[in-house]
Amino acid sequence: MQRVAIRADASTSIGTGHIFRSIAIFEGWRNQGGECLFVCQDVPGNMIGYLSWVGFDVLAIRQTADQRDDAAAFCDAVQQWGGADAVWVDHYGLDATWENELQSAVQVVGAMDDLANRSHACDLLVDSSHGTDERHLYDGLLQKQDSLCLIGPAYVALRKEFAEYKQEMPFHPSRAKNVVVTLGGNDPLDASNLVLNAIDCSELSDIAFRLTVGSANSRAEELLARAETLQNVTALYQHEDMVGLMAWGDLCIGAGGTTSWERCYMGLATLGLTLAENQSAFMTRLEQLGVARSVGWADRISVSDLRAEIVDAVCDRAWRMKASTIGLELIDGQGAKRIIDAIVAMVHRRVA
């Protein structure tokens, strides 16, 4: 099995999604006997310690905004590790400029993109957020005519614990009783406090809420203390059993990040808040697909309006059932395997 070096970051400004998405793909690679190295900038909110804790090789590089400097530091790290057959990059700040610097160093350069707003010089491009009919979005963005594009929800990479969970249609009570609140690793707009204020009312006092709070959230202590004051809210700090949590829930109040696909796989309807620019179009797409209701930006909705949206979603069994059915049909849990198979096949062809 080959060796792959992965370039992805987490920080207080960009969140944790790129790292978790890469973990979802390459824990399967590692389980098949492959070797993986994560290379990450040493910035506030990084997940370098977490990656090491879950068993990945990881090296830190200095912070720089220059793509060529970043590529040089990355290559030095890979050489220190002993070399790689393939490179994988999942980073909004890196494009064809960075990828071109890697062409002579490895057999295959693969890239994850879900914005279709920057050029690429990769051999393999994966975009699981757009539809299979949107391949044209990359017209003019790919410098290599023979780049392989894998586009559509068939390439959604789920973390191992989700992919191994046997899908089933959850029970939908007429009025949702259990609501999961999960708003990203760092929650930059403090949407968690917004939700806590919205659910602090008599209309929702009979509902059990479980709020996840990530270690990267600068307001973690405040949120844990605030949740303690609400009898129907349980705060879960750096919660690891997200499968169990989503299986427990009848509804989710969540951000438009990578966990959206996990919620689909679990058949969990979502009331979605947008926390970052890159989530805006994605949340619109989730609503169009029918798996979520978008209530807009977390910093632009009032407490009273959000409360009304939550009450409506709690009471709307028909919508929750429909969203659940669509999500279960949309994501089959095999996306990571398809991506790994494509990388391995491409490396084999290049070496042969």
Side-chain angles (χ1 to χ4, degrees):
M1 191 67 178
Q2 291 88 8
R3 291 160 60 87
V4 62
I6 302 142
R7 179 69 185 89
D9 283 331
S11 74
T12 53
S13 60
I14 68 172
T16 59
H18 297 284
I19 293 292
F20 278 120
R21 184 161 59 183
S22 298
I23 289 174
I25 298 171
F26 291 103
E27 63 187 353
W29 177 286
R30 187 177 59 177
N31 292 338
Q32 292 180 23
E35 296 179 77
C36 304
L37 169 71
F38 274 83
V39 179
C40 310
Q41 284 193 1
D42 187 3
V43 294
N46 71 69
M47 293 180 66
I48 293 169
Y50 177 83
L51 286 164
S52 180
W53 180 69
V54 296
F56 284 100
D57 291 341
V58 56
L59 290 173
I61 60 175
R62 64 186 181 277
Q63 183 177 4
T64 177
D66 185 279
Q67 293 196 56
R68 289 185 175 86
D69 286 348
D70 188 289
F74 174 83
C75 287
D76 288 345
V78 174
Q79 186 175 15
Q80 177 185 336
W81 185 57
D85 302 295
V87 162
W88 181 261
V89 56
D90 186 345
H91 200 297
Y92 293 146
L94 302 176
D95 57 24
T97 300
W98 189 92
E99 293 159 11
N100 272 315
E101 297 295 308
L102 276 296
Q103 296 301 318
S104 61
V106 293
Q107 298 294 331
V108 173
V109 176
M112 175 67 81
D113 192 355
D114 52 20
L115 300 178
N117 67 349
R118 62 193 187 278
S119 62
H120 289 282
C122 56
D123 303 292
L124 171 67
L125 180 112
V126 178
D127 181 339
S128 57
S129 296
H130 288 100
T132 54
D133 60 340
E134 296 181 285
R135 167 65 176 79
H136 65 277
L137 294 174
Y138 289 95
D139 290 350
L141 294 180
L142 299 176
Q143 294 185 1
K144 292 188 172 184
Q145 293 184 349
D146 60 347
S147 293
L148 175 62
C149 289
L150 304 180
I151 299 178
Y155 302 101
V156 167
L158 299 179
R159 286 177 282 176
K160 180 183 177 183
E161 57 265 35
F162 285 95
E164 293 181 347
Y165 178 85
K166 184 178 179 180
Q167 281 182 303
E168 57 183 6
M169 183 67 175
F171 172 72
H172 292 281
S174 57
R175 178 177 167 86
K177 297 179 180 179
N178 302 324
V179 179
V180 177
V181 183
T182 178
L183 294 158
N186 62 343
D187 187 7
L189 299 184
D190 196 18
S192 298
N193 259 318
L194 171 71
V195 172
L196 290 177
N197 289 332
I199 64 179
D200 185 9
C201 62
S202 59
E203 300 103 302
L204 296 168
S205 60
D206 62 322
I207 309 297
F209 293 88
R210 292 184 181 176
L211 167 71
T212 65
V213 180
S215 59
N217 192 323
S218 62
R219 307 176 186 88
E221 290 187 13
E222 174 192 342
L223 287 168
L224 296 173
R226 174 80 171 99
E228 285 279 336
T229 68
L230 302 174
Q231 291 186 348
N232 60 333
V233 177
T234 301
L236 305 170
Y237 181 74
Q238 200 59 31
H239 189 63
E240 294 298 326
D241 185 16
M242 290 302 292
V243 172
L245 181 61
M246 290 187 190
W248 168 85
D250 304 318
L251 172 70
C252 179
I253 304 170
T258 55
T259 57
S260 299
W261 295 127
E262 295 169 349
R263 298 192 292 263
C264 288
Y265 183 79
M266 297 295 293
L268 185 61
T270 297
L271 196 62
L273 286 161
T274 299
L275 307 184
E277 189 60 46
N278 64 289
Q279 294 182 1
S280 183
F282 183 48
M283 185 58 74
T284 298
R285 173 163 173 74
L286 293 173
E287 187 168 50
Q288 291 171 344
L289 288 169
V291 297
R293 282 182 180 173
S294 174
V295 297
W297 283 81
D299 58 351
R300 300 175 194 173
I301 186 171
S302 68
V303 169
S304 59
D305 285 347
L306 179 57
R307 179 178 298 150
E309 294 280 3
I310 296 171
V311 171
D312 188 54
V314 161
C315 297
D316 195 343
R317 180 174 184 263
W319 168 71
R320 286 185 279 109
M321 288 185 65
K322 183 178 180 181
S324 181
T325 301
I326 294 170
L328 290 169
E329 293 175 348
L330 191 65
I331 309 299
D332 67 1
Q334 298 302 305
K337 182 180 183 303
R338 294 184 182 107
I339 295 169
I340 291 169
D341 288 348
I343 298 172
V344 170
M346 189 168 285
V347 171
H348 281 161
R349 287 197 300 271
R350 298 288 173 87
V351 172

